Every structure is written in structure tokens, then in C-alpha cells.
Amino acid sequence: DIQMTQSPSSLSASVGDRVTITCRASQGISNYLAWYQQKPGKVPKLLIYAASTLQSGVPSRFSGSGSGTDFTLTISSLQPEDVATYYCQKYNSAPFTFGGGTKVEIK
Amino acid sequence: QVQLVQSGAEVKKPGSSVKVSCKASGGTFSSYAISWVRQAPGQGLEWMGGIIPIFGTANYAQKFQGRVTITADESTSTAYMELSSLRSEDTAVYYCARDALAARPDWFDPWGQGTLVTVSS
């Protein structure tokens, strides 16, 4: 099975900072990658699909890139409401594995 | 706008089974895969398995093979996840989630509200 590895596992940044989270697949998955945001006690929310397509209603400060095995989620200007854990997920074929998550906090 | 509504919280004894339901409303049910994802306290998201109701055949993560059964009832637009031989490590929030598009693997949107299953003697 393909493994999904996220880094870092946690980060602390200031409001307005540019934040980058990486996700690496153990084998190529083309662009079959999604990113989710999960705030404490809440249901995961889709942010990005097809590696770089922003879900409707998601702020434009979020962006995704990558293809094959290496992917990134970028928050261009971190806001207080972005405090959450972010997960990548492969969906090219089962099992639809998630990365381990990246917890984002405000410094 | 499709909504997924899950059954309520459960408390189970070790060794027993639990069956969680996920009812879809507001859209087509049969052609879209429904997956089950669990999240243990303080842990990440873990895909357990899924089913496309119109085909009726489920596939499962290797970790749960033999212990989980996922089914779907097209007549009531409801998917079910049954987990047997429960142990304390199965204490988690269980989510159902639907593929965004029909008839092919996709990202998950929407998600159910989650069902807390607590396994305790």
C-alpha cells in the first residue's frame, strides 16, 4: 500500500506568515490528492482536490501544488481562524490513505 | 445539497459489536461511494473501507479485514458500518463520507457529523 507522509507534524507561526505543509507519497499518485482542514472538535472540511483545485468557498490564501509523489499546501498569510490540523489524502485507488496530519498554531 | 446524518453515540463492552448508520439526503445515493473513516482521541484520520451502493461490494483496509462489514440499503439511502470484536483501542469518532463525484474514486465531500463509539468495560 502507498504511504502518505506529512511534515512537519506541527508548526507555530505568526499571523500573516506564509505557511507550507508538505505531503509525500511512497509511490506516484499523479494529482489524486486532497487536503482537509479539521478544527478541534469539528468534522474535516475539504480545502483542495486534484492537488491544486480550491474547493468552492475556501479562502484564496490557501493553495496546493505538486504531482507524482511530492505535494504542498500553502497558506499565504496565516489567519487566527486557520488554527487547525491539516491532512492530505490520496484517492487514486483504495486504500484511501491519509497523511498523519500537521497541527498549525499561532505563535 | 447532499447531507449525511449519522446515528448517535454508542457505549459498548469489549468483545461486542457496534453498527453505525449514515443516512444520505438531498441527492443521489446509489452511484456514489461511501467511505468510513475513524479518528481515535487525539489521533489522525484512518480510512476503514467503503462501498458503492449500486454495486454492493465493499472494500476494506487491510487492518480491519475480517472485523468490519460495510453495507448499504438503497431503499433508505443509508450506509452502515459494523465493527466486531471491539476492544478499547476502537474507541473513536467514526465518520462516513461520500465521494464528491460518482462512479470513480474521489475526494470526500460531504462528511457525516461523526459518531462517538466508546468501548469500555
Side-chain angles (χ1 to χ4, degrees), chain B:
Chain B
Q1 188 84 350
V2 174
Q3 279 193 305
L4 302 178
V5 179
Q6 299 182 220
S7 49
E10 303 261 15
V11 179
K12 293 292 183 180
K13 300 283 190 190
S16 68
S17 298
V18 68
K19 192 170 186 176
V20 181
S21 68
C22 170
K23 183 173 176 61
S25 62
T28 305
F29 177 73
S30 297
S31 302
Y32 292 76
I34 297 281
S35 281
W36 289 89
V37 176
R38 81 174 186 182
Q39 186 170 39
Q43 302 301 306
L45 302 172
E46 185 173 31
W47 182 78
M48 301 178 67
I51 189 169
I52 302 177
I54 197 170
F55 298 139
T57 303
N59 58 359
Y60 304 113
Q62 191 166 7
K63 175 178 178 177
F64 300 100
Q65 284 274 4
R67 215 162 59 94
V68 68
T69 303
I70 295 172
T71 56
D73 182 343
E74 292 182 76
S75 68
T76 60
S77 298
T78 303
Y80 300 90
M81 185 283 299
E82 184 170 23
L83 188 62
S84 62
S85 302
L86 289 170
R87 38 215 189 221
S88 58
E89 310 90 88
D90 294 317
T91 294
V93 175
Y94 290 77
Y95 295 101
C96 62
R98 198 197 77 162
D99 275 13
L101 301 176
R104 69 178 201 194
D106 271 316
W107 55 95
F108 294 169
D109 185 54
W111 294 61
Q113 84 275 20
T115 296
L116 175 61
V117 174
T118 303
V119 182
S120 174
S121 55

Side-chain angles (χ1 to χ4, degrees), chain A residues 4-47:
Chain A
M4 305 299 293
T5 304
Q6 279 183 244
S7 61
S9 57
S10 66
L11 67 88
S12 181
S14 299
V15 172
D17 280 356
R18 183 181 185 88
V19 168
T20 298
I21 298 167
T22 65
C23 177
R24 176 164 289 175
S26 59
Q27 297 176 38
I29 57 170
S30 185
N31 69 335
Y32 293 99
L33 186 102
W35 290 96
Y36 301 88
Q37 175 194 63
Q38 187 179 34
K39 296 184 178 180
K42 300 297 185 183
V43 178
K45 172 189 172 184
L46 176 70
L47 293 179

